Amino acid sequence: MTEYDLIIVGGGPIGLACAIEAQKKNLRYLIIEKGAIVNSIFNYPLYMTFFSTAERLEIGNIPFNCLAPKPGRQEALEYYRNIHRYFNFSINLFEEVISVEKQENSVFKITSDKKSYEAKNVVIATGFYDIPIEMNVKGEELPKVRHYYKEAHEYAFRNILVVGANNSSVDAALECWRKGANVTMVIRKNEINNRVKYWVKPDIENRIEEGSIKAYFQSNITEIRENEVEIETPNGKVTIENDFVLALTGYKPDLTFLEKMGIQLSNDELKIPTYNPETMETNIEGLFLAGVVCGGMQTHKWFIENSRIHANMIVDSITSK
């Protein structure tokens, strides 16, 4: 069995950034990614636009050329594919890591759904887009309830309920409305989230104010039925006709996966993993975290532009030993 200096679990932008630094230091490394390269971005809505500008999404000092002020999903996929062409990463795609165990000889055993590996060091860069945060309401298991949104076409001319007031919810509501859907939003707070993209927030607020999109603020879904949804509002319960529910209530890292490795999580609702902020090494020597997974349930704390530095920190720590 080949023993690697470093195995990187996750082939997103931050996992690729770690591989770039490993290449620079001539480390024997391997990326293992359960889906396509930059799989989370691949699963974003088709017409999503990033909040960040192109240069803030760059890795490896390779320019991200973009004609628009903000790049979209398609441009990002093209950029990261070109990154792979340039660096020719050692990467296994469509292979899921099942477990990471530190053995008595201090070498990690990494077991996937295809084979096993050994490595002196491991980086977990698995992001947070794989597990939806559920509403835990009756009827959520119905096929018409979607926790991911791809595009608006199938929702045209239908009664759509969008749950949430963050970027994904607002984008979906506006796109579906523009394709002819009858859109209603259910929003837990009394306003649209302040983190919504600044060029989109006035759009959704104006559509709500003019009545084009109906919004129930300070409200929650209490039950989803085949053709209707029941909503608890400040003025009592209301029932509306409904064909689809887009429950875009956010996503969370696979915290159980981290705990199985022995990574300690905070004892509060944030579930923040234990790591050294100077090296990104966890409470287990040789096991590192990179990217958004470092924030636990605080999934808005880390993103591509502010966690690219994790790659340098991790590889510097490994090579200094």
Side-chain angles (χ1 to χ4, degrees):
M1 184 182 296
T2 301
E3 183 180 295
Y4 292 90
D5 296 313
L6 175 63
I7 279 184
I8 302 160
V9 183
I14 304 307
L16 301 185
C18 291
I20 291 169
E21 295 306 314
Q23 276 194 23
K24 289 179 181 177
K25 298 296 176 68
N26 296 315
L27 298 181
R28 179 177 291 185
Y29 76 91
L30 174 68
I31 306 169
I32 306 177
E33 163 57 53
K34 73 175 186 178
I37 195 166
V38 292
N39 196 60
S40 291
I41 295 176
F42 170 71
N43 285 306
Y44 284 171
L46 291 184
Y47 306 110
M48 189 216 76
T49 300
F50 282 86
F51 191 94
S52 301
T53 54
E55 67 270 12
R56 296 186 174 218
L57 302 178
E58 292 174 357
I59 58 175
N61 294 318
I62 303 298
F64 186 162
N65 297 316
C66 177
L67 294 176
K70 310 277 186 178
R73 168 187 174 274
Q74 290 290 82
E75 292 158 309
L77 291 177
E78 184 72 19
Y79 173 73
Y80 292 115
R81 285 197 302 269
N82 286 334
I83 289 288
H84 179 35
R85 289 190 184 101
Y86 182 84
F87 288 100
N88 191 25
F89 295 118
S90 173
I91 183 169
N92 291 357
L93 299 173
F94 296 95
E95 180 173 348
E96 183 173 4
V97 171
I98 306 301
S99 66
V100 177
E101 301 173 280
K102 193 166 189 180
Q103 303 175 106
E104 290 183 3
N105 61 357
S106 295
V107 172
F108 290 93
K109 180 182 179 183
I110 299 91
T111 304
S112 78
D113 57 359
K114 294 184 178 178
K115 60 184 295 187
S116 294
Y117 307 87
E118 288 188 344
K120 298 173 184 175
N121 301 278
V122 177
V123 172
I124 306 299
T126 47
F128 76 107
Y129 201 56
D130 295 325
I131 304 177
I133 298 173
E134 296 186 343
M135 300 179 292
N136 297 316
V137 299
K138 187 176 180 181
E140 189 171 4
E141 74 285 351
L142 290 171
K144 72 173 189 173
V145 179
R146 313 284 175 78
H147 288 284
Y148 292 90
Y149 169 76
K150 201 71 176 177
E151 64 171 324
H153 177 74
E154 68 174 317
Y155 306 117
F157 318 117
R158 309 292 281 169
N159 295 312
I160 309 301
L161 182 63
V162 179
V163 184
N166 53 23
N167 277 300
S168 57
S169 303
V170 168
D171 284 346
L174 288 169
E175 286 181 18
C176 289
W177 171 71
R178 290 197 163 96
K179 295 297 185 291
N182 175 33
V183 178
T184 301
M185 299 183 75
V186 171
I187 298 165
R188 186 164 48 89
K189 296 182 179 179
N190 62 357
E191 62 181 359
I192 298 296
N193 197 315
N194 286 327
R195 285 195 294 261
V196 169
K197 290 171 281 198
Y198 63 83
W199 65 93
V200 175
K201 191 168 185 283
D203 191 359
I204 189 66
E205 290 173 338
N206 289 335
R207 301 295 75 74
I208 291 170
E209 185 177 352
E210 71 187 15
S212 298
I213 293 175
K214 173 72 174 177
Y216 291 99
F217 290 97
Q218 296 179 292
S219 301
N220 292 284
I221 290 176
T222 53
E223 186 176 348
I224 302 168
R225 296 187 280 270
E226 196 64 45
N227 298 305
E228 59 187 16
V229 174
E230 188 178 84
I231 306 166
E232 184 68 58
T233 77
N235 299 318
K237 285 188 178 180
V238 298
T239 300
I240 64 171
E241 293 183 7
N242 175 259
D243 298 307
F244 291 99
V245 175
L246 299 180
L248 307 179
T249 48
Y251 309 93
K252 61 183 179 180
D254 190 347
L255 300 172
T256 302
F257 181 54
L258 300 186
E259 287 183 304
K260 284 181 180 177
M261 296 179 219
I263 297 174
Q264 296 171 356
L265 307 180
S266 63
N267 291 321
D268 54 22
E269 69 280 1
L270 298 179
K271 301 296 181 184
I272 298 172
T274 298
Y275 64 90
N276 182 336
E278 295 181 0
T279 65
M280 309 310 295
E281 190 170 29
T282 68
N283 54 287
I284 300 171
E285 186 177 359
L287 182 57
F288 298 82
L289 298 178
V292 70
V293 71
C294 302
M297 294 298 291
Q298 288 183 312
T299 54
H300 294 286
K301 181 176 180 180
W302 295 105
F303 32 93
I304 297 171
E305 66 182 67
N306 72 348
S307 58
R308 295 175 296 181
I309 60 170
H310 294 170
N312 300 76
M313 297 161 66
I314 291 168
V315 174
D316 285 348
S317 176
I318 291 171
T319 54
S320 70
K321 296 178 183 179

